[in-house]
């Protein structure tokens, strides 16, 4: 059982260093599914400055204490106290060995935190606070110890016994059990502890580090999955080599193990030397995994590997510093992916993701700074803000420093913080010291929630040749933070000739010569002005190149957006301006739908897309990104009051108009791409598949039997899952008989592959069809649906609540009821996952009155449940709290 009801609030300002240190940990596990016995021997020492007589308080949850010894002697009952979440030792000596024997019940553990059983095997998940569910311990990341672990289990049930570090010994017992001992020489916080035991197969490889150390690599999977690990292994080796060349970081153990498990709350976990992965980020073959799945594997395999230095060797002092490891490691995995494939495409995809997930979070009731200042359950702070915005902050600083100084700063960080549990201040200080730049002003970004908004005004004086740029920043209020300081915002811009679009030279005060290069301005006041001299002709400021800071630039006219979308040399800004141009058009049209005003089609966007189709051969991946309209969920962010039906209608009619107007070039492009088809897993082939799917999607939107027949043909004959699933998604969004036939065919073919079956559920969860809530509800009764598996639950319910706005917000309120019922059902078994689902209610205050009332009622019903978990209670309470600005956050 998890802890229910309100958990106490934890505040950053109340941080105190640990009173006792644990320097060595010896663990013995007698593994059995029903009851596992854990014997822990802790080498404990009173920290300097801790008063004599101070008690030692250990965390523990759901543990049955069977024995307790101090320096080998049983502890008398008056020397300790046992509470539901703690074990307190009264008056312990300065230095001692504490031995506990506890019993836990892995098969009954449905939370997937602590030690649990999945598919008959044992796995652990200790981040953030799961170790306390295994044994009594000061479960906080600033207590770092050396671990030696012995596992004993039935030899038949668990032939494989894995833990952190290096294997040191193993043997057999007479009773059918066997054992293995693992030693991890590197001190680590307990959240990085892991064990895996069971019947698993290793796919092996090796890597020789640049200093010549040979590392044995293994990916452990269930029998039958051995043929799906090639790509993950390839990514692992590439990541190991990249961390050496880009950051000078070598791996530091003799073995590196990855175990894949199908029941997992998140993507993966960076346990020292023994990463544990959700199967969806390990297993792939072209027939079963999409290109997006392959990219996900590259991201997550490298991310967890990179944690070995940013997270494990250097860890967090406390959980408020979570972005110290997560933001930095996301930055590192983004850079890795950029170096593996196309840097420009990577940037577009990272920004798309930031806007889709983090911007809404930052504007809603769950908004929090990258370094939060309080929490109830830290599990609720593994968010887009901590991860994605945190990565943007590191990127902002890295760009400001440039590659050489950034590397020097990172070298300093690795040297000065190694083997320590540190803070974001420590990071900025070391980085700045190594780079020779004072980075303290950037700390304010970590403490400020909300997405800054920058507006610009311009003057051009043709007499003097002076171009003046005025920039102003504003940060909207967020819960508990009405007023914000001005932040240091780096902005990359260039000037283009307003007539021809060619770059034009200018001289900024302080520059020695005119240049047309990109300038990096630092806006660090509420309002600031820059003068460019020697500007011979009226310029257009191309501002926001490369997305140099996680902000919104507001107030650019449609004309300006189209101009930059066509002329700017930066592909990112061209993509961005076309997206924002499309947003403007779609929002205006949605408004017309809503108010019943006349709707006027926009020829400009169709012309821009036609021009892009002409250039498709040069960079299909970029064109696929550029012609894909912003998602409805992203458009909704720009609406003061969200009208999901009007948005859907506006977007679908624009897609249909494009499909009809450009039917001939789209078909020609589609046929060309099919003719050059290759099933390869590389950037070029992926780009062609993405563009083929985008073209087909427009053709189907344009209407007609012929396009449907093309989709059916692609569905039946595509040799990759990307093609098959692209076509199935289109068919599943129609109400034609081809829909049911394709879904039945897909099910029959893939019903035995859980990850593919997840896609089958997800496609149906996302289908924007009438009666969507009832369709999804019916699927919850499908024999293959189970809410106990987080992947399956997210596939159906998560995709419905997060990626099907017209379905979820069905006027009946049945979508809300379905989500609320699901949360209530899942919450007692798995509070982490239930609380995550609940965040889908986040925009309730911005819905029109009838839906707002229905959503508020669903939330209030959940909040009224006395047995609600602390995780869900924190999220739901925050959503119901009064909004920060009575008039609502500024919208444009
Ligand atoms: N640290 C993991 C990562 O790489 C995140 C994670 C995995 C996690 N499992 C978890 C966080 C369970 C909280 C709870 O990003
Ligand atoms: Zn991480």
């Amino acid at each position: 059982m998890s802890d229910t009801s309100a958990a106490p609030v934890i505040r950053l300002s109340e941080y105190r260093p640990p009173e006792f240190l644990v320097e060595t940990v010896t663990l013995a596990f007698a593994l059995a599914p029903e009851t596992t016995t854990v014997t822990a021997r802790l080498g404990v020492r009173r920290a300097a400055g801790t008063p004599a007589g101070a008690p030692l308080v250990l965390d523990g949850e759901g543990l049955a204490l069977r024995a307790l010894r101090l320096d080998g002697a049983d502890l008398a009952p008056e020397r300790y106290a046992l509470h539901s979440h703690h074990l307190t030792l009264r008056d312990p000596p300065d230095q001692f060995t504490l031995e506990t024997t506890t019993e836990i019940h892995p098969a009954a553990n449905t939370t997937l935190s602590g030690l649990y059983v999945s598919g008959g095997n044992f796995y652990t998940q200790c981040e953030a606070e799961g170790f306390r569910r295994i044994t009594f311990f000061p479960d906080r990341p600033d207590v770092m110890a050396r671990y030696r672990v012995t596992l004993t289990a039935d030899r038949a049930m668990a032939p494989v016994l894995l833990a952190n570090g290096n294997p040191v010994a193993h043997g057999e017992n007479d009773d059918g059990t066997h054992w293995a001992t693992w030693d991890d020489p590197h001190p680590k916080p307990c959240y990085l502890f892991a064990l895996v035991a069971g019947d698993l197969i290793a796919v092996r490889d090796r890597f020789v580090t640049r200093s010549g150390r040979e590392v044995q690599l293994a990916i452990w999977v269930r029998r039958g999955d051995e043929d799906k690990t090639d790509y993950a292994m390839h990514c692992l080796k590439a990541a190991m080599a990249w961390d050496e060349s880009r950051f000078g970081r070598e791996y530091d153990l003799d073995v590196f193990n990855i175990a894949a498990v199908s029941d997992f709350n998140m993507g993966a976990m960076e346990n020292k030397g023994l990463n544990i992965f959700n199967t969806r980020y390990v297993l792939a073959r072209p027939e079963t995994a999409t290109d997006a799945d392959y990219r996900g594997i590259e991201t997550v395999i490298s991310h967890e590997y990179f944690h070995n230095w940013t997270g494990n060797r250097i860890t967090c002092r406390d959980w408020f510093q979570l972005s110290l490891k997560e933001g930095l490691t996301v930055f590192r995995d983004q850079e890795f992916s950029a170096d593996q494939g196309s840097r420009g495409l990577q940037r577009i995809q990272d920004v798309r993701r930031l806007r889709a997930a983090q911007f809404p979070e930052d504007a809603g009731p769950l908004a929090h700074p990258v370094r939060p200042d309080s929490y109830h359950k830290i599990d609720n702070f593994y968010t887009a803000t901590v991860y994605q915005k945190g990565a943007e902050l590191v990127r902002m600083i890295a760009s400001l420093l440039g590659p050489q100084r950034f590397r020097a700063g990172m070298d300093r960080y690795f040297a000065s913080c190694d083997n320590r549990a540190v803070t974001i201040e420590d990071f900025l200080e070391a980085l700045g010291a190594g780079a020779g730049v004072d980075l303290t002003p950037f700390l304010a970004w970590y403490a400020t929630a909300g997405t800054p908004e920058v507006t610009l005004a311009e003057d051009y004086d043709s007499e003097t040749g002076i171009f003046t740029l005025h920039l102003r920043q504003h940060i909207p209020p967020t819960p508990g933070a009405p007023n914000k300081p001005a932040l240091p915002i780096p902005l990359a811009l260039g000037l283009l000739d307003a007539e021809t679009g060619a770059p034009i030279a200018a001289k900024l005060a302080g520059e020695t010569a005119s240049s047309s290069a990109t300038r990096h301005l630092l806006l660090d006041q509420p309002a600031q002005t820059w003068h460019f001299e020697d500007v011979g002709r009226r310029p257009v400021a191309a501002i926001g190149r490369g997305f140099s800071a996680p902000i919104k630039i507001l107030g650019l006219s449609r004309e300006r957006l189209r101009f930059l979308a066509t002329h700017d040399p930066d592909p990112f800004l061209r993509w961005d301006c076309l997206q924002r141009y499309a947003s403007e058009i779609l929002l205006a049209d949605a408004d017309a739908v809503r108010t019943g005003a006349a709707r006027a089609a926009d020829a400009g966007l169709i012309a821009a897309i036609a021009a892009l189709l002409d250039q498709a051969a040069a960079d299909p991946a970029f064109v696929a990104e550029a012609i894909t309209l912003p998602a409805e969920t992203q458009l909704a962010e720009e609406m003061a009051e969200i009208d999901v039906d009007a948005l859907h209608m506006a977007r679908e009619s624009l897609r249909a108009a494009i499909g009809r107007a450009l039917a001939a070039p789209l078909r020609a492009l589609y046929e060309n791409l099919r003719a050059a088809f290759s099933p390869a897993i590389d950037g070029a082939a992926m780009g062609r598949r993405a563009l083929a799917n985008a073209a087909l999607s427009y053709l189907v939107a344009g209407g007609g039997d012929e396009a449907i027949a093309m989709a059916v043909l692609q569905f039946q004959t595509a040799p990759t899952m990307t093609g098959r699933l692209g076509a199935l998604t289109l068919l599943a969004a129609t109400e034609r008989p081809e829909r049911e036939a394709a879904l039945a065919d897909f099910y029959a073919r893939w019903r035995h592959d859980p990850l593919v079956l997840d896609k089958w559920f997800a496609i149906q969860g996302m289908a924007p069809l009438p009666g969507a809530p009832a369709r999804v509800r019916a699927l919850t009764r499908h024999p293959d649906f189970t809410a106990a598996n987080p992947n399956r639950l997210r596939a159906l319910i998560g995709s419905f609540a997060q990626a099907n706005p017209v379905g979820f917000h069905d006027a009946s309120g049945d979508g809300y009821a379905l989500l609320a019922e699901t949360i209530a059902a899942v919450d007692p078994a798995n509070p982490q996952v239930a609380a995550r689902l609940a965040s889908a209610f986040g925009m309730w205050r911005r819905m029109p009155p009838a839906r707002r009332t229905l959503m508020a009622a669903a939330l209030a019903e959940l909040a009224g449940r006395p047995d609600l978990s602390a995780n869900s209670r924190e999220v739901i309470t925050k959503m119901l709290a009064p909004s920060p600005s009575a008039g609502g956050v500024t919208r444009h």
Side-chain angles (χ1 to χ4, degrees):
M1 276 306 293
S2 56
D3 54 335
T4 56
S5 234
V9 63
I10 314 291
R11 292 179 209 284
L12 172 56
S13 61
E14 292 170 3
Y15 172 82
R16 297 287 173 274
E19 297 197 308
F20 290 87
L21 306 177
V22 179
E23 289 166 333
T24 55
V25 178
T26 309
L27 292 170
F29 288 80
L31 291 165
E34 304 311 321
T35 299
T36 286
T37 305
V38 185
T39 303
R41 202 155 8 99
L42 314 183
V44 186
R45 192 165 56 78
R46 183 184 303 271
T50 303
L56 168 65
V57 182
L58 302 176
D59 301 294
E61 239 179 73
L63 308 174
L65 183 63
R66 295 293 176 233
L68 179 59
R69 285 175 291 275
L70 197 150
D71 288 333
D74 284 340
L75 212 53
E78 66 277 9
R79 296 281 307 279
Y80 69 93
L82 194 54
H83 303 107
S84 68
H85 286 68
H86 296 110
L87 171 64
T88 304
L89 258 67
R90 301 201 180 100
D91 199 18
D94 288 345
Q95 187 155 9
F96 57 99
T97 301
L98 184 70
E99 195 175 309
T100 61
T101 303
T102 47
E103 286 176 358
I104 51 180
H105 307 291
N109 180 1
T110 58
T111 62
L112 311 185
S113 163
L115 177 67
Y116 65 95
V117 174
S118 169
N121 301 321
F122 298 90
Y123 303 87
T124 55
Q125 172 56 41
C126 293
E127 189 177 5
E129 298 181 333
F131 193 67
R132 64 185 64 183
R133 299 166 52 81
I134 293 175
T135 192
F136 287 104
F137 202 77
D139 189 354
R140 44 188 289 167
D142 55 359
V143 173
M144 297 172 82
R146 285 197 180 76
Y147 286 67
R148 191 178 179 90
V149 178
T150 299
L151 309 178
T152 303
D154 182 81
R155 204 184 321 130
M157 186 215 168
V160 174
L161 303 170
L162 308 172
N164 312 95
N166 297 317
V168 291
H170 59 92
E172 312 271 319
N173 300 318
D174 302 332
D175 58 356
T177 63
H178 68 150
W179 59 273
T181 297
W182 292 75
D183 185 77
D184 183 358
H186 303 283
K188 65 170 176 285
C190 67
Y191 81 85
L192 291 173
F193 167 80
L195 74 80
V196 170
D199 188 7
L200 296 168
I201 312 248
V203 181
R204 296 184 187 275
D205 207 326
R206 57 197 272 283
F207 180 85
V208 180
T209 70
R210 64 175 182 176
S211 69
R213 176 202 277 273
E214 180 166 328
V215 184
Q216 305 303 321
L217 312 176
I219 300 182
W220 299 85
V221 296
R222 297 185 65 180
R223 204 173 298 277
D225 286 333
E226 314 85 281
D227 59 346
K228 302 196 186 90
T229 61
D230 288 0
Y231 192 69
M233 186 65 89
H234 159 80
C235 292
L236 173 61
K237 289 187 288 181
M240 294 178 85
W242 184 90
D243 214 11
E244 293 184 350
S245 61
R246 177 73 185 271
F247 283 98
R249 297 296 112 199
E250 243 180 81
Y251 188 62
D252 55 3
L253 289 168
D254 303 335
V255 300
F256 188 77
N257 286 306
I258 291 177
V261 57
S262 54
D263 294 294
F264 200 75
N265 282 348
M266 305 274 283
M269 181 62 211
E270 69 264 26
N271 316 299
K272 183 79 188 193
L274 176 53
N275 289 0
I276 299 181
F277 269 65
N278 188 323
T279 44
R280 68 174 294 204
Y281 293 113
V282 176
L283 305 179
R285 296 181 56 82
E287 322 83 85
T288 62
T290 62
D291 294 342
D293 294 331
Y294 277 97
R295 279 198 304 272
I297 290 170
E298 178 182 83
T299 297
V300 181
I301 289 273
S302 65
H303 179 96
E304 306 310 330
Y305 176 73
F306 296 147
H307 268 315
N308 191 55
W309 276 95
T310 51
N312 301 3
R313 291 286 292 248
I314 305 179
T315 197
C316 301
R317 186 193 73 173
D318 55 73
W319 290 118
F320 295 101
Q321 321 297 328
L322 184 57
S323 196
L324 172 85
K325 73 178 178 80
E326 295 304 347
L328 178 54
T329 304
V330 171
F331 168 78
R332 277 153 52 74
D333 80 56
Q334 290 175 346
E335 282 297 289
F336 170 69
S337 294
D339 285 346
Q340 299 300 297
S342 153
R343 181 161 286 272
L345 188 67
Q346 181 70 28
R347 192 68 189 127
I348 287 171
Q349 289 167 347
D350 290 341
V351 174
R352 202 193 268 287
R353 177 163 178 191
L354 182 81
R355 286 185 177 144
Q358 199 277 326
F359 279 21
E361 182 170 274
D362 226 355
L366 302 176
H368 54 275
V370 170
R371 180 167 69 183
D373 28 49
S374 73
Y375 61 77
H376 291 271
K377 292 298 283 185
I378 189 59
D379 309 324
N380 288 331
F381 288 81
Y382 288 76
T383 59
T385 297
V386 167
Y387 279 66
Q388 264 68 46
K389 187 174 179 177
E392 289 299 322
L393 300 188
V394 176
R395 179 173 302 282
M396 196 167 78
I397 294 168
S399 309
L400 190 90
L401 297 178
Q404 278 81 29
R405 286 189 302 179
F406 180 65
R407 173 65 195 268
M410 287 299 294
D411 287 351
R412 177 76 68 103
Y413 175 59
F414 289 125
S416 67
C417 297
D418 191 16
N419 285 319
R420 293 171 53 204
V422 304
T423 62
I424 286 170
E425 282 88 346
D426 294 324
F427 170 63
L428 291 181
E429 198 177 291
L431 193 60
V437 176
D438 176 16
L439 296 175
T440 39
F442 286 89
L443 191 60
W445 272 99
Y446 286 90
T448 308
T451 307
E453 299 173 344
V454 170
T455 47
L456 65 159
E458 301 159 310
D459 289 311
Y460 176 62
D461 185 336
S462 55
E463 303 282 289
T464 58
I466 294 182
F467 173 71
T468 307
L469 183 66
H470 309 275
L471 297 179
R472 195 173 274 288
Q473 62 168 297
H474 165 73
I475 312 175
T478 47
N483 303 307
K484 320 274 179 163
L487 294 175
I489 302 177
L491 284 163
L493 93 166
L495 300 183
L496 301 184
D497 187 316
E499 303 284 304
T500 66
I504 56 177
K507 194 158 91 64
L508 205 49
E511 289 178 349
T512 50
S514 280
S515 139
S516 57
T518 297
R519 301 304 201 300
H520 299 271
L521 309 180
L522 188 68
L523 170 65
D524 60 1
Q525 306 296 317
Q528 253 163 292
T529 298
W530 283 268
H531 300 288
F532 293 84
E533 296 164 10
D534 299 340
V535 185
R537 315 188 51 175
R538 171 170 290 281
V540 169
I543 187 161
R545 286 182 179 167
F547 198 75
S548 51
I551 60 162
K552 296 181 184 176
I553 298 174
L554 300 181
L556 301 188
S557 68
R558 282 194 199 180
E559 293 66 39
R560 160 93 57 133
L561 292 171
R562 265 207 69 194
F563 181 85
L564 294 175
T566 315
H567 296 295
D568 199 64
D570 176 26
F572 172 82
L573 194 64
R574 289 203 304 276
W575 167 82
D576 188 26
C577 288
L578 192 62
Q579 290 287 305
R580 286 154 69 195
Y581 179 72
S583 291
E584 296 284 327
I585 287 167
L586 288 165
L587 289 165
D589 192 41
D591 235 33
V593 170
R594 203 163 55 86
T595 59
R599 299 172 62 194
D602 183 279
L605 186 69
I606 295 180
I609 290 179
L612 280 163
L613 297 181
D614 283 343
Q615 310 154 22
D619 192 349
F622 174 80
V623 173
E625 288 292 344
I627 67 174
T628 301
L629 301 179
E632 286 163 34
T633 44
Q634 197 179 317
L635 295 165
E637 274 311 292
E638 311 285 318
M639 270 189 149
E641 185 172 275
I642 302 172
D643 187 331
V644 288
D645 299 316
L647 275 177
H648 184 66
M649 183 170 295
R651 191 171 183 276
E652 284 311 301
S653 36
L654 180 57
R655 281 171 23 80
I658 294 167
R660 282 192 304 269
L662 303 179
L666 283 164
R667 186 159 324 150
L669 176 63
Y670 181 76
E671 296 304 342
N672 277 340
L673 290 163
R674 275 176 61 88
F677 185 81
S678 139
I681 303 303
D682 61 42
M686 286 184 181
R688 288 195 297 271
R689 286 192 286 271
L691 187 56
N693 276 346
L696 182 62
S697 164
Y698 276 121
L699 289 167
V700 169
D705 292 346
E706 200 189 333
I708 292 288
M710 289 166 77
V712 169
L713 185 67
Q714 176 171 316
F715 171 71
Q716 288 169 343
T717 61
T720 66
M721 184 52 82
T722 302
R724 218 171 259 276
L725 206 69
L728 183 62
T729 305
L730 299 174
L731 295 171
T734 72
E735 289 188 280
R736 301 176 53 117
E738 289 88 343
R739 168 193 158 91
E740 301 313 322
L743 285 169
D745 177 328
F746 192 92
Y747 177 76
R749 183 159 174 164
W750 298 111
R751 56 182 299 190
H752 299 300
D753 186 324
L755 293 173
V756 185
L757 201 53
D758 286 341
K759 301 177 194 305
W760 184 81
F761 278 103
I763 278 193
Q764 296 180 77
M766 287 185 293
L769 296 178
R775 292 172 191 261
V776 174
R777 193 184 287 279
L779 282 167
T780 63
R781 300 192 196 101
H782 190 283
D784 290 309
F785 180 77
T786 166
N789 174 258
N791 285 0
R792 189 60 45 88
L793 178 68
R794 285 185 286 250
L796 183 62
I797 303 298
S799 71
F800 171 65
Q802 279 149 22
N804 186 355
V806 282
F808 176 56
H809 295 286
D810 188 89
S812 64
D814 202 25
Y816 308 144
L818 177 58
L819 181 62
E821 284 160 31
T822 308
I823 292 166
V826 172
D827 188 63
N830 190 335
Q832 287 184 17
V833 165
R836 258 170 204 281
L837 279 183
S839 60
F841 281 117
M843 82 300 274
W844 73 274
R845 258 179 222 287
R846 291 178 37 228
M847 297 304 293
R851 282 163 165 117
R852 193 188 311 153
T853 307
L854 290 163
M855 292 178 93
L859 284 169
E861 196 278 328
L862 285 168
R865 292 173 170 259
D867 55 350
L868 197 69
S869 70
N871 293 63
S872 295
R873 184 165 305 284
E874 177 175 29
V875 169
I876 290 169
T877 305
K878 283 181 178 164
M879 287 196 287
L880 285 170
S883 92
S885 55
V889 174
T890 338
R891 302 270 156 193
H892 306 266

